[in-house]
Amino acid sequence: MASSLCFLPFLLFVISSASSSTDILHGSEENEAVGHDLYREFLRDEAVSRLNELGKVSDVDGYLERTFMSPASIRAANVIRRWMEDAGLRTWIDHIGNVHGRVDGMNASAPALLMGSHMDTVVDAGKFDGALGIISAISAMKVLKVTEKLEKLKYPVEVIAFCDEEGVRFQSTFLGSAAIAGILPAATLNISDKSGRTLQEVLKENTVEATQDNLIQLKYHPESVWGYVEVHIEQGPVLESAGIPLGVVKGIAGQTRLKVTFTIDLRAMDDIGREAVLYELSARMYNICDKRSVSCVIERKHDANAVKCDGELSMQLQSAAHTAFRKMAGNVDVDVPKLMSGAGHDAMAMAHLTKMGMLFVRCRGGISHSPAEHVLDDDVWAAGLAVLAFLENHV
């Protein structure tokens, strides 16, 4: 999730993993993966190639920038839609610009598993944030297609590439996922970008007919959804320190963004504690300004409560991650780390609709929202294998 804000006064991470200098997949040459069920061609080689291809779809030369409904985002949507169809999915683009790919499995009327992440980026972005979650899901679905298991799924599965999670253009995060979850206010259509164009006008310019009624119709009914799963880079150092490629997310910190003489980004897992800090911080700023006869206006630009991942889904994803480790490196005996997310994700919005779970993928140095953002090819592979194992065992 985007954070161009310069001041982060309060950030709480809770983790339960031990650091280790041993890398379970890359510690020795003996860990070279073998076996017919690893699907390296699709889950690693093709997935990495697609990450590189999508990373070049940009609105500017020299760096990656792909914001909501920009020309590059339209091109990216078409590319992703083509990949979904290649995986055997029925595709469409909804009234706010989300790209959907769905297979009904054996029971089209059963509640569906939703998977995905966002296709927009920050300015001067890395190529893994958001894109990895979309491509890992599509790659796993393609393996099910080539192994003739796609139509044998017990539940429908739908992969969604959300149109805007970062909030760069309209300074309103989770546009796509909030619409699906039914928590996007109709008034959002009237917000403007820096050029003065409203969200509704931008959508209409791109042949997407967005009205208040259409936004309401985008909401999925809770009874039609079985759950939501998202794969995302960690954006932190825990997995790299532990030498482990995948971790299970326990929850996502709540967030408040303020605009003063400057910007403040406040995050914590404890919502009551976050509000207490906000109250004290605001009171001190007003007091200081009063003493100096300085005008002070504090605007709350964004609020999101902390969310917890579903316990059952988390255990299933933990088991799937361990299956991926075992297939790639043999009979490894390692605990899959459980960790908190300080950054926001589409899963925060989707938690208002259904139970949700997340897998984190190790990224070098914990760096994100930067061209230096990097994930090892084999870690992309591990993520794809984990998604595949989850689908094969639980869907």
Side-chain angles (χ1 to χ4, degrees), residues 6-52:
C6 59
F7 180 40
L8 183 62
F10 186 59
L11 176 61
L12 176 63
F13 283 95
V14 180
I15 59 173
S16 58
S17 60
S19 295
S20 169
S21 60
T22 302
D23 188 321
I24 66 168
L25 297 188
H26 308 95
S28 68
E29 294 180 359
E30 287 77 13
N31 283 347
E32 183 68 24
V34 294
H36 69 283
D37 58 348
L38 296 182
Y39 308 107
R40 173 174 177 162
E41 176 186 355
F42 305 114
L43 300 179
R44 191 186 96 151
D45 298 346
E46 186 174 70
V48 170
S49 175
R50 287 175 169 179
L51 284 163
N52 291 331

Side-chain angles (χ1 to χ4, degrees), residues 136-148:
S136 293
I138 294 174
S139 298
M141 297 300 283
K142 184 169 182 177
V143 171
L144 293 179
K145 175 191 173 184
V146 300
T147 56
E148 300 183 348

Side-chain angles (χ1 to χ4, degrees), residues 12 14 250-254 267-271 306-308 340-341:
L12 176 63
V14 180
K250 296 194 297 183
I252 304 173
R267 310 188 186 195
M269 275 308 302
D270 179 0
D271 288 329
V307 297
K308 292 184 179 179
M340 306 303 303
S341 175

Side-chain angles (χ1 to χ4, degrees), residues 85-118:
E85 291 170 352
D86 176 60
L89 308 182
R90 171 173 53 89
T91 67
W92 70 96
I93 297 177
D94 65 28
H95 290 301
I96 201 167
N98 297 317
V99 183
H100 302 249
R102 184 180 176 103
V103 62
D104 290 333
M106 295 189 296
N107 187 355
S109 62
L113 168 69
L114 308 181
M115 298 190 295
S117 194
H118 60 98

Side-chain angles (χ1 to χ4, degrees), residues 152-378:
K152 298 177 182 178
L153 292 166
K154 294 178 290 185
Y155 306 103
V157 176
E158 188 171 318
V159 180
I160 307 177
F162 294 112
C163 60
D164 181 39
E165 184 256 17
E166 301 287 6
V168 173
R169 182 168 188 176
F170 288 97
Q171 297 298 299
S172 181
T173 56
F174 310 137
L175 287 180
S177 50
I180 296 295
I183 60 171
L184 186 67
T188 305
L189 287 172
N190 299 320
I191 61 176
S192 301
D193 63 12
K194 291 181 179 179
S195 70
R197 288 184 294 174
T198 67
L199 174 61
Q200 188 169 28
E201 290 170 343
V202 168
L203 289 168
K204 190 173 183 179
E205 289 170 6
N206 289 279
T207 69
V208 178
E209 189 61 36
T211 64
Q212 291 188 12
D213 287 342
N214 284 341
L215 280 190
I216 293 172
Q217 292 171 10
L218 286 177
K219 173 181 167 55
Y220 280 37
H221 295 291
E223 61 270 19
S224 71
V225 182
W226 180 72
Y228 173 75
V229 168
E230 181 170 355
V231 174
H232 203 281
I233 58 172
E234 181 194 354
Q235 299 172 288
V238 178
L239 293 175
E240 185 177 50
S241 297
I244 298 175
L246 304 176
V248 174
V249 181
K250 296 194 297 183
I252 304 173
Q255 308 172 11
T256 297
R257 296 181 185 178
L258 304 178
K259 181 179 180 182
V260 203
T261 55
F262 52 90
T263 53
I264 296 174
D265 187 336
L266 183 64
R267 310 188 186 195
M269 275 308 302
D270 179 0
D271 288 329
I272 295 176
R274 177 166 50 88
E275 288 294 335
V277 171
L278 283 168
Y279 178 82
E280 183 176 352
L281 179 65
S282 298
R284 290 190 181 187
M285 286 193 291
Y286 283 130
N287 183 262
I288 291 170
C289 290
D290 284 345
K291 287 182 177 180
R292 300 184 181 184
S293 298
V294 174
S295 174
C296 179
V297 177
I298 302 175
E299 298 178 72
R300 291 182 75 144
K301 304 295 290 186
H302 173 72
D303 272 299
N305 288 335
V307 297
K308 292 184 179 179
C309 296
D310 179 75
E312 181 181 8
L313 262 183
S314 295
M315 286 191 294
Q316 292 169 348
L317 290 170
Q318 185 178 24
S319 175
H322 198 270
T323 296
F325 298 164
R326 187 173 64 251
K327 286 184 175 182
M328 293 184 71
N331 190 24
V332 295
D333 182 18
V334 62
D335 290 330
V336 178
K338 303 180 187 69
L339 56 162
M340 306 303 303
S341 175
H345 306 284
D346 287 300
M348 293 186 82
M350 296 300 284
H352 291 270
L353 172 69
T354 186
K355 63 182 181 181
M356 68 84 176
M358 289 191 70
L359 272 179
F360 269 172
V361 183
R362 168 174 54 185
C363 65
R364 186 169 60 196
I367 296 172
S368 182
H369 291 172
S370 161
E373 189 178 274
H374 180 74
V375 175
L376 294 169
D377 290 0
D378 278 3

